[in-house]
Amino acid sequence: MTCYDRRDLGLLLLRLGTGGVLAAHGSQKLFGWFGGGGIAGTGQFMDSIGYAPGKVSATTAGLAETGGGLLLALGLATPAAGAAAAGAMAGSAVHAPNGFFNQEGGFEYAASLGLTAAGLAVTGPGRLSLDHLLGHTADRSWMVPTALAVTAAATAVAVGARSRRLRKAREGQQGVLFE
């Protein structure tokens, strides 16, 4: 009999894969690695899609993705890590007008990462994790709903502020009435 089962191995693989991708994705924003824009380039992009101030938005998203991804991969503070990463991916809802599929600029990629991160926050890291090794001191059952609720509220505030900025920018603009 082994001390670890298939569930623990599966959770480890999900954490390493999802956490690694999130950390790489966030490091594009923070450091410009892997062809990313860094804080300056990502900040300009964030400004252009209504997340202002852009540099603050780029830093926040980069930290949530990189930090959440690294913590997920390690299986440390799993509820907070998964919630932070899921919140960052929920902010990618700006891609929804482009449809579902990533090849068309849609939200498929962000949705997959966000849902997997949220699933890991809820399920827990398994026994092959730092949380398990440390006696789950940063992975208590009350932390799951708390982390998800705080992240949902923060994401709603950021996306709502973006929506208000975009509406205000369009005020007074009139579209074509007749073609």
Side-chain angles (χ1 to χ4, degrees):
M1 182 159 117
T2 63
C3 60
Y4 303 109
D5 62 17
R6 290 175 19 201
R7 180 182 179 275
D8 294 314
L9 182 58
L11 287 170
L12 174 65
L13 292 172
L14 276 173
R15 287 193 350 260
L16 290 174
T18 304
V21 169
L22 283 162
H25 196 67
S27 68
Q28 289 179 307
K29 291 175 178 66
L30 290 177
F31 311 115
W33 296 350
F34 311 113
I39 296 294
T42 305
Q44 288 176 342
F45 171 72
M46 293 289 214
D47 270 328
S48 76
I49 61 171
Y51 284 114
K55 285 186 178 182
V56 171
S57 298
T59 303
T60 303
L63 287 172
E65 292 169 15
T66 304
L70 289 173
L71 290 173
L72 273 178
L74 294 170
L76 181 61
T78 304
M89 293 296 102
S92 297
V94 299
H95 299 293
N98 299 328
F100 178 71
F101 292 104
N102 194 46
Q103 69 206 33
E104 302 294 326
F107 63 95
E108 150 192 40
Y109 177 68
S112 295
L113 287 174
L115 288 170
T116 303
L120 287 166
V122 171
T123 303
R127 291 182 286 181
L128 297 171
S129 67
L130 288 179
D131 275 338
H132 182 75
L133 183 68
L134 298 172
H136 294 278
T137 55
D139 179 28
R140 303 282 186 208
S141 60
W142 63 267
M143 293 176 181
V144 174
T146 303
L148 291 172
V150 167
T151 299
T155 302
V157 167
V159 172
R162 175 190 176 269
S163 294
R164 284 189 298 283
R165 273 190 292 280
L166 293 177
R167 271 196 310 274
K168 187 172 182 169
R170 287 190 299 255
E171 273 180 13
Q173 295 178 0
Q174 184 170 345
V176 177
L177 296 177
F178 303 100
E179 290 186 33

